[in-house]
Amino acid sequence: MIVRDVRLEGAATDLRVADGVFTEIGPDLVATPGEEIVEGHGRLVLPPFIESHIHLDSVLTAGDPEPNRSGTLFEGIERWAQRKEKLTVADVKERVNRVVRQQASFGVQFVRTHVDVTDPSLTALRALLELRDELSDVMTIQIVAFPQEGICSFPGGKDLMREAVGLGVDALGAIPHFEFTREYAVDSLNFVAELAAESGLLIDVHCDEIDDEASRGLETLATRAYELGLGGRVTASHTTAMHSYNNAYFTRLLRLLTMSGINFVSNPVVNTHLQGRTDTYPKRRGVTRVKELTEAGINVSFGQDDICDPWNPLGTGNLRDVVFTGLYVTQMLGHDQIADSHRFVTTNAARTLNLGEAYGIEVGRPANFVVLDAGSWYDALNWNAVVVGSYRAGRLITRTEPVRREVLF
Ligand code: FE2
């Protein structure tokens, strides 16, 4: 197959795909007899979008059994604890199947999902493990064992984490700011770092998702990553307390973060909604320092976090909305910052997920790509261009008609 006349990194080109991989990339490719040709009409191609932080187990549960009336993170955890009692494998699979298809229609092909393992039956985890296999042809799903109610503060928390490793998770989580004490927070991070080093798994911690400037799980996580040589296998998600750190502390911390080589995920839509809830005025935005981390050469990606669940009553899974909001909230609307901002949900996210050579539009790599109804990312972002086609190993897996508006005056 040849995909003809598309824009790749600012230049017009064609793509040749055979046996599910890119075999040739360049202008004016000549079709062989009988070779399928797809016209690109000068549209933008990108590698698929990557959802680097979501909670698929809780999607589409908002209001069930009760809505989160305060809009806080902590009421969200209480509402979820109620909903968790009603979970069945069939319930989780039905909701996630719906959302995954919706994500796919927005050009997402890779998802890192956190799954709550503070449930002695591990129901949601079992459902997600089944879905990871069932959907692997169309969606790559990475599963993080996420201890929503703590590792040291939840009865049997460490054993549940070990059980999740045995069942086959891809990564280990933690939630230091929710542990009962600072000592438990440190102990939970040490436990996870050692378990990851032993098992070879990745780490993705819900780290300091609170407006408390004294919440400093991040320095422990980064130190363990540095000392154990885990580097890019480790991700710190949320880190909203960093928004409130004093600049002297942040400057010292930045040296450690750079040395450690860890990744960051910011969830600008949901954290703008959840944080600052104990403030009167001024109210903090509660989004981590994306601009400063990026300028220091540290890898940051953006995630959606929640779709219609106890922490976010809205959300579609369209990562364009996350990038759009994220650039505003982090004040990253310089021309060059906009132009390559898809990297927060493409290449940067690929690094976070440790995708390596499984990702990217290059000869020899799997022919996974999306075609947008725009000639540039700048236009695609601004005009919310649809993904007209999402290709997985060269196969069209979703298709959307371009929006055509008529103004009748
Ligand atoms: Fe999260």
Side-chain angles (χ1 to χ4, degrees):
M1 173 178 80
I2 289 182
V3 184
R4 197 151 66 184
D5 185 25
V6 288
R7 304 285 298 185
L8 176 66
E9 293 170 9
T13 193
D14 299 344
L15 308 171
R16 172 171 273 132
V17 174
D19 298 326
V21 299
F22 295 111
T23 54
E24 206 174 351
I25 298 171
D28 306 320
L29 299 183
V30 178
T32 56
E35 190 171 21
E36 182 190 355
I37 294 177
V38 175
E39 291 295 343
H41 304 291
R43 288 177 169 133
L44 172 71
V45 291
L46 288 173
F49 294 121
I50 300 173
E51 173 56 81
S52 58
H53 187 116
I54 195 164
H55 299 256
L56 285 178
D57 52 350
S58 59
V59 292
L60 310 181
T61 62
D64 180 11
E66 284 181 66
N68 178 347
R69 291 193 171 82
S70 67
T72 62
L73 171 68
F74 291 94
E75 186 179 341
I77 295 174
E78 281 174 45
R79 297 287 82 81
W80 172 240
Q82 292 173 306
R83 181 59 175 80
K84 208 157 54 171
E85 289 174 13
K86 300 200 300 181
L87 287 181
T88 64
V89 168
D91 155 48
V92 176
K93 288 181 75 170
E94 189 276 325
R95 290 182 287 104
V96 176
N97 264 312
R98 274 195 279 157
V99 164
V100 162
R101 280 159 180 77
Q102 187 166 295
Q103 291 175 302
S105 75
F106 293 123
V108 174
Q109 290 187 23
F110 299 84
V111 173
R112 175 178 282 183
T113 181
H114 299 256
V115 180
D116 186 1
V117 296
T118 49
D119 165 13
S121 67
L122 296 176
T123 302
L125 178 59
R126 291 176 206 283
L128 261 300
L129 287 164
E130 286 182 21
L131 286 168
R132 184 179 64 182
D133 291 343
E134 290 165 13
L135 294 166
S136 62
D137 285 349
V138 290
M139 189 72 77
T140 301
I141 298 177
Q142 277 187 3
I143 298 176
V144 185
F146 170 51
Q148 175 74 76
E149 296 181 58
I151 293 176
C152 301
S153 311
F154 187 78
K158 287 185 180 176
D159 289 339
L160 286 166
M161 292 294 287
R162 289 193 196 96
E163 198 179 339
V165 173
L167 288 172
V169 296
D170 302 285
L172 300 169
I175 187 164
H177 56 278
F178 194 74
E179 298 284 357
F180 292 148
T181 66
R182 194 189 63 81
E183 288 77 13
Y184 280 12
V186 171
D187 185 45
S188 71
L189 291 169
N190 286 335
F191 169 77
V192 161
E194 280 156 28
L195 191 54
E198 263 168 42
S199 60
L201 297 179
L202 304 171
I203 293 177
D204 192 332
V205 171
H206 275 63
C207 200
D208 307 315
E209 190 183 6
I210 192 166
D211 296 317
D212 175 7
E213 69 280 3
S215 184
R216 294 181 176 185
L218 179 57
E219 63 181 23
T220 302
L221 178 66
T223 301
R224 289 295 99 81
Y226 172 68
E227 290 175 349
L228 294 169
L230 299 174
R233 287 168 51 194
V234 176
T235 297
S237 280
H238 295 289
T239 62
T240 60
M242 190 195 289
H243 187 94
S244 299
Y245 290 164
N246 66 72
N247 287 339
Y249 175 68
F250 176 71
T251 303
R252 169 167 81 85
L253 180 66
L254 196 56
R255 174 174 176 267
L256 167 64
L257 299 179
T258 306
M259 288 167 70
S260 73
I262 67 170
N263 307 294
F264 284 79
V265 179
S266 175
N267 300 288
V269 175
V270 166
N271 280 127
T272 308
H273 160 58
L274 292 175
Q275 305 310 128
R277 293 290 177 147
T278 56
D279 294 351
T280 51
Y281 286 94
K283 280 186 192 289
R284 287 168 285 181
R285 298 177 190 199
V287 172
T288 197
R289 300 190 189 195
V290 176
K291 192 163 139 186
E292 290 76 7
L293 292 170
T294 298
E295 285 170 359
I298 292 169
N299 186 50
V300 184
S301 59
F302 283 164
Q304 164 83 63
D305 206 9
D306 299 286
I307 296 177
C308 303
D309 74 3
W311 297 275
N312 181 16
L314 304 174
T316 62
N318 186 350
L319 291 173
R320 173 268 178 192
D321 296 347
V322 174
V323 175
F324 190 87
T325 308
L327 294 182
Y328 273 90
V329 170
T330 59
Q331 299 184 332
M332 295 182 73
L333 286 165
H335 184 276
D336 293 347
Q337 290 168 322
I338 296 172
D340 73 349
S341 58
H342 64 77
R343 67 187 166 135
F344 289 114
V345 293
T346 56
T347 50
N348 288 14
R351 203 167 137 192
T352 300
L353 267 64
N354 282 240
L355 294 180
E357 296 193 354
Y359 186 82
I361 301 179
E362 286 185 38
V363 170
R365 296 193 178 184
N368 303 330
F369 60 99
V370 294
V371 183
L372 288 109
D373 186 27
S376 69
W377 172 248
Y378 208 106
D379 285 347
L381 178 69
N382 194 37
W383 297 102
N384 197 9
V386 299
V387 172
V388 294
S390 178
Y391 291 80
R392 178 86 164 182
R395 179 167 73 97
L396 184 65
I397 59 166
T398 73
R399 184 170 52 203
T400 302
E401 286 296 317
V403 175
R404 295 286 173 245
R405 294 183 180 85
E406 287 184 69
V407 178
L408 303 175
F409 65 86

